[in-house]
Amino acid sequence: MSISFTSIKTPKTSISSFVKCNSNRLTQQTITMKHHTLARQLTVPPTLVATATTTIPETVPSLDQFKKYSQLLPDKNGRFGRFGGKYVPETLMYGLGQLEIAFKALSADAEFQKELDELLREYVGRETPLYFAERLTEHYKRADGTGPHIYLKREDLNHTGSHKINNVVGQALLAKRLGRKRIIAETGAGQHGVATAAVCARLGLECVIYMGAHDVERQELNVSRMRLLGAEVRPVHFGANTLKDATSEAIRDSVCNLETAHYIPGSVVGPHPYPMIVREFQSVIGKEVRKQAVEKWGRAPDVLVACVGSGSNAMGLFSEFVDDEGVRLIGVEAAGRGLQSGQHAAALTKGDVGVIHGTMSYLLQDDDGQIITPYSISAGLDYPGVGPEHSYLKDIGRAEYYSVTDEKALDAFQRLSLLEGIIPALETSHALAYLETLCPSLPHEAKVVLNCSGRGDKDLQIVSEHLKF
């Protein structure tokens, strides 16, 4: 089967964020790569080098094509259809290529996998329960007594309180194998920062966390946790002072210290191979769900639901089931103060195709290609883009994406707390809020698995300010 390729127009001003090490902050510039010249200079195969001029599919692949090639994605250029890729300066190509080679080698390394599995089991606390939310299920019963069964994948019970540590443990071990002793990460809600700080403490690695100054204020508890665990927290005072800007600074730092530092992104974003690496380390979520579902009711779930900011918890849940036609995949974004208000973070619902932080995906941008500042009550969903694989799943119609306002998320935050005695993260609360729309449409005893991606103690100050308790 052959697929024709061509290029598409993307606003120049949205083409990636690149780094000048003698600058105090990340600057934007459009760079055209010289593919084969670079490959000769670095003596690496040209297939490891993707460029800003790499052509991309003119048409969206069909679902049948996706299913047939799902195990091959991303392709050799790091693309999921037209999304993904490596929109970075030539100086970064070699390092990204070597990271991909190392990751693929260690994925097949028995000793590495043994160490990873042991840490996930003994340190993180996996596997996490697939919990039947009995009272929440009762809440959504119809007048005739019928309704879906709701299960929560309890990632909030992981050490440090969220799914983020799954990826951090894997990447920190990868960094040690590469001889890197300094770990760099960004964080929004603080959960990725806390997970990174904890794992670095466990493995004896230096840890630097970039966090938008606004997020430092609204996630004070997690900032204290990171510092207690030995991390240096660097507030970022430019742009919107939130996750996008923290990510830019983390990338700048890592690029300037390629030989000694390893960057651990908190989600399935950034240039290839980062979206692939994060997905694979998070895929433990979906693999456990399949096993647990078979044990509990003898088959796969009917519906999977997860919140989507940049998308790692959802991708970790979805990836195992993409080829299962009968399983619906539902991602829930942050509608903030309403989609029509312009104050939201719904890149898949309202965004356009562009490039941010080295990858092509849907993102919030204006007519000139300038990034629109996102908004959400949840710091972890406050990002203007989304992972490239989510963009691809949207385009081929394999996954459904909806959005939920702050108000509805706050209602769901209270609902789960009161009905199940589980305080969810505000991120998770967006997914929980969508049950109000979803459950009335589902058949009796349909099995719904919602990823409870994190616990909500970090959000109590924000919630109390809005709910006045």
Side-chain angles (χ1 to χ4, degrees):
M1 178 184 64
S2 62
I3 300 176
S4 60
F5 289 81
T6 185
S7 60
I8 66 169
K9 289 185 178 180
T10 304
K12 284 187 178 181
T13 47
S14 73
I15 296 287
S16 195
S17 294
F18 298 131
V19 175
K20 292 182 178 179
C21 292
N22 59 355
S23 172
N24 289 328
R25 67 179 59 172
L26 210 62
T27 60
Q28 290 188 338
Q29 39 183 297
T30 301
I31 295 182
T32 301
M33 304 300 173
K34 297 179 180 177
H35 186 160
H36 296 289
T37 300
L38 175 64
R40 287 196 301 271
Q41 291 172 346
L42 300 177
T43 64
V44 297
T47 54
L48 288 179
V49 185
T51 77
T53 56
T54 300
T55 54
I56 55 184
E58 182 178 21
T59 58
V60 176
S62 69
L63 181 56
D64 287 340
Q65 289 173 344
F66 177 79
K67 284 162 43 180
K68 184 175 181 180
Y69 293 102
S70 62
Q71 300 305 311
L72 301 178
L73 293 176
D75 66 17
K76 65 182 181 181
N77 291 319
R79 290 194 176 276
F80 303 88
R82 58 176 172 161
F83 301 103
K86 298 180 186 178
Y87 290 84
V88 296
E90 294 183 8
T91 51
L92 299 188
M93 286 296 192
Y94 179 74
L96 291 172
Q98 292 302 304
L99 177 60
E100 180 180 3
I101 291 170
F103 171 73
K104 289 181 176 179
L106 290 175
S107 294
D109 184 285
E111 285 300 314
F112 178 85
Q113 290 300 321
K114 180 181 177 182
E115 186 176 8
L116 174 60
D117 290 345
E118 183 177 344
L119 278 173
L120 288 174
R121 183 178 63 254
E122 303 292 339
Y123 185 67
V124 175
R126 303 208 70 90
E127 63 183 41
T128 58
L130 184 61
Y131 167 74
F132 178 53
E134 184 175 358
R135 294 195 67 211
L136 192 64
T137 294
E138 187 70 23
H139 173 79
Y140 286 111
K141 278 188 177 179
R142 295 177 277 267
D144 63 0
T146 64
H149 290 177
I150 301 168
Y151 291 80
L152 305 180
K153 181 57 174 168
R154 297 293 307 277
E155 292 300 292
D156 57 309
L157 295 180
N158 283 331
H159 178 44
T160 71
S162 80
H163 71 289
K164 294 293 187 181
I165 198 167
N166 303 326
N167 168 52
V168 174
V169 167
Q171 289 219 50
L173 289 178
L174 174 61
K176 287 198 74 172
R177 290 293 187 100
L178 292 172
R180 310 287 168 77
K181 298 181 179 180
R182 182 171 179 265
I183 299 297
I184 299 163
E186 81 291 323
T187 195
Q191 294 296 78
H192 179 58
V194 171
T196 304
V199 173
C200 285
R202 169 63 180 80
L203 298 179
L205 299 169
E206 182 184 351
C207 181
V208 177
I209 306 293
Y210 288 91
M211 192 172 190
H214 179 54
D215 292 336
V216 169
E217 292 177 4
R218 60 178 174 171
Q219 294 292 342
E220 185 177 352
L221 174 61
N222 273 342
V223 173
S224 297
R225 293 171 74 195
M226 286 182 269
R227 287 173 172 156
L228 178 63
L229 291 164
E232 177 188 353
V233 180
R234 296 184 180 179
V236 176
H237 295 275
F238 74 86
N241 299 331
T242 55
L243 181 57
K244 173 182 72 71
D245 314 296
T247 302
S248 296
E249 283 297 278
I251 293 173
R252 181 199 63 79
D253 188 339
S254 66
V255 168
C256 297
N257 297 280
L258 287 172
E259 298 300 319
T260 58
H262 178 73
Y263 170 49
I264 302 182
S267 196
V268 285
V269 294
H272 180 70
Y274 284 116
M276 175 184 70
I277 291 174
V278 177
R279 177 195 69 190
E280 292 304 304
F281 284 135
Q282 290 292 1
S283 67
V284 64
I285 301 171
K287 291 173 182 175
E288 287 182 5
V289 166
R290 183 183 292 279
K291 169 180 171 289
Q292 292 167 324
V294 169
E295 291 172 351
K296 287 179 178 291
W297 61 81
R299 58 178 176 82
D302 297 299
V303 186
L304 303 178
V305 186
C307 64
V308 175
S310 40
S312 65
N313 93 89
M315 208 65 251
L317 178 63
F318 292 174
S319 60
E320 174 67 16
F321 296 94
V322 167
D323 288 339
D324 291 51
E325 286 187 55
V327 180
R328 289 177 66 185
L329 312 178
I330 297 178
V332 186
E333 298 186 289
R337 297 190 173 102
L339 294 179
Q340 303 311 313
S341 72
Q343 294 182 302
H344 60 79
L348 288 163
T349 307
K350 298 291 285 186
D352 299 303
V353 177
V355 177
I356 186 171
H357 294 138
T359 191
M360 179 175 284
S361 68
Y362 282 100
L363 65 140
L364 301 176
Q365 57 183 323
D366 62 22
D367 291 340
D368 296 320
Q370 296 298 317
I371 302 301
I372 296 173
T373 300
Y375 162 78
S376 172
I377 192 174
S378 165
L381 302 183
D382 200 358
Y383 185 71
V386 68
E389 193 164 3
H390 282 294
S391 297
Y392 182 59
L393 292 176
K394 173 192 172 178
D395 264 18
I396 66 169
R398 180 60 188 96
E400 309 163 42
Y401 295 94
Y402 305 99
S403 60
V404 161
T405 62
D406 289 353
E407 182 180 3
K408 290 181 178 179
L410 285 167
D411 289 344
F413 182 96
Q414 296 177 87
R415 188 179 304 118
L416 190 69
S417 300
L418 292 171
L419 291 178
E420 297 290 346
I422 298 170
I423 302 174
L426 278 173
E427 292 80 16
T428 304
S429 298
H430 285 71
L432 289 162
Y434 189 70
L435 294 177
E436 293 283 303
T437 301
L438 175 66
C439 288
S441 69
L442 295 178
H444 182 50
E445 296 187 346
K447 301 300 189 286
V448 178
V449 173
L450 186 145
N451 199 11
C452 193
S453 56
R455 67 182 189 226
D457 50 323
K458 67 182 178 62
D459 295 315
L460 289 177
Q461 181 179 346
I462 298 170
V463 173
S464 64
E465 289 173 357
H466 282 79
L467 299 180
K468 310 300 181 185
F469 62 73

